[in-house]
Amino acid sequence: NIKNSSFEKALKENNYQAAYTVYDKSENKSNEEQALNAHLNTYFELCFSSDYNDTTWQQYRGIEVFNSLIKETVLQKLQTTVTEYYEGKYSESDVKTYLGRISKFSFCKEELADALDEVNKKDFSDKAYAQGVELYINGEFEKSVLEFKKVSDSDPNRYPLAQEGIDRIKNEWGKEQLEQAQNMIKVHNNEGATVLLEELIELFEEYPEAQQLLDSLAPELET
């Protein structure tokens, strides 16, 4: 308890070298790690508040001495913030500000670029989903799949629906295409069946039934 108290005191004073010394000497580090996580959350809260200013990171930057312990949490916070933006919680300008603050850590350069890229893709992703639905309704299934594939996986609402749409098209329209390929094979139009099956596999990326049928043609095509 004394060690944990001195650890928390050092964190509160932003004296991270002292905190690390206590942590390094601790035999059971779970209490210190919980306190560190709580302290990191305090920084996150500041990142989303009007209290954040030009000196905030200077005050907290020494926490990087614990990078090996906090890296995963920081990167997860970046992704969570992007997801919340897709849910409509923040404006585009605000979320970019928050991401910039969260990503002050030295290991965040590439992850920040990826997060900002996802933010910039939101309008594109929204339009792709709407277009995919319209094309599906109109029976243009290939084009619908291509649009659904453009929906960002950072969108917790539209992305699962887009995947569901792709699966539905694969199970319904895709099955019809498989039957068409089988009919081509029956009349010895193996080249036509091959083209159709290859297009199906490219469209859906993973289609075991189509791949199995295509593989069955390989020996005959080789001869």
Side-chain angles (χ1 to χ4, degrees):
N1 290 334
I2 293 174
K3 284 185 177 181
N4 195 44
S5 177
S6 61
F7 182 77
E8 291 180 354
K9 182 175 182 294
L11 290 180
K12 188 174 182 180
E13 295 172 352
N14 301 105
N15 188 348
Y16 299 107
Q17 289 296 337
Y20 190 83
T21 299
V22 176
Y23 175 80
D24 191 46
K25 293 180 179 179
S26 177
E27 295 182 2
N28 182 5
K29 303 180 187 301
S30 60
N31 289 336
E32 285 82 2
E33 289 173 0
Q34 289 178 22
L36 177 63
N37 188 59
H39 182 72
L40 182 60
N41 283 329
T42 299
Y43 174 70
F44 290 154
E45 290 171 6
L46 281 171
C47 289
F48 290 85
S49 79
S50 58
D51 293 331
Y52 193 99
N53 56 51
D54 294 339
T55 65
T56 302
W57 176 243
Q58 294 178 16
Q59 182 181 1
Y60 278 84
R61 69 185 306 164
I63 198 174
E64 289 208 281
V65 71
F66 292 104
N67 273 357
S68 62
L69 297 175
I70 64 177
K71 181 177 181 179
E72 183 177 348
T73 303
V74 173
L75 297 183
Q76 181 61 48
K77 188 65 175 179
L78 282 174
Q79 183 56 54
T80 299
T81 302
V82 172
T83 298
E84 290 172 342
Y85 167 65
Y86 271 83
E87 292 176 325
K89 190 171 182 179
Y90 316 117
S91 68
E92 182 176 345
S93 60
D94 282 346
V95 76
K96 287 181 176 179
T97 296
Y98 302 150
L99 290 171
R101 293 170 178 176
I102 295 168
S103 62
K104 292 290 187 182
F105 296 85
S106 58
F107 52 77
C108 282
K109 185 176 181 180
E110 292 184 6
E111 287 75 9
L112 173 61
D114 291 341
L116 292 175
D117 184 55
E118 285 298 305
V119 168
N120 292 330
K121 283 166 51 179
K122 185 178 186 300
D123 288 343
F124 174 80
S125 177
D126 291 349
K127 290 176 182 177
Y129 177 76
Q131 187 69 17
V133 171
E134 183 177 348
L135 289 165
Y136 177 85
I137 293 172
N138 293 335
E140 298 183 66
F141 299 118
E142 287 183 79
K143 293 181 179 179
S144 178
V145 170
L146 293 174
E147 291 301 314
F148 281 146
K149 287 166 71 173
K150 297 175 185 176
V151 177
S152 172
D153 58 5
S154 294
D155 191 329
N157 299 318
R158 293 180 181 86
Y159 181 75
L161 294 174
Q163 295 303 303
E164 181 181 331
I166 292 173
D167 288 341
R168 183 176 298 175
I169 293 171
K170 182 178 179 180
N171 293 331
E172 296 175 1
W173 175 80
K175 183 177 180 181
E176 294 176 358
Q177 300 305 299
L178 280 178
E179 292 175 353
Q180 184 177 337
Q182 289 169 337
N183 290 333
M184 288 180 177
I185 295 171
K186 288 179 182 178
V187 297
H188 307 292
N189 183 6
N190 290 350
E191 289 186 4
T194 297
V195 171
L196 179 55
L197 292 169
E198 288 177 343
E199 289 176 350
L200 281 175
I201 293 169
E202 181 179 0
L203 180 64
F204 294 107
E205 296 181 7
E206 183 179 350
Y207 204 154
E209 294 89 343
Q211 186 64 58
Q212 183 177 2
L213 189 56
L214 180 63
D215 291 344
S216 71
L217 295 175
E220 189 170 342
L221 288 173
E222 288 174 0
T223 58

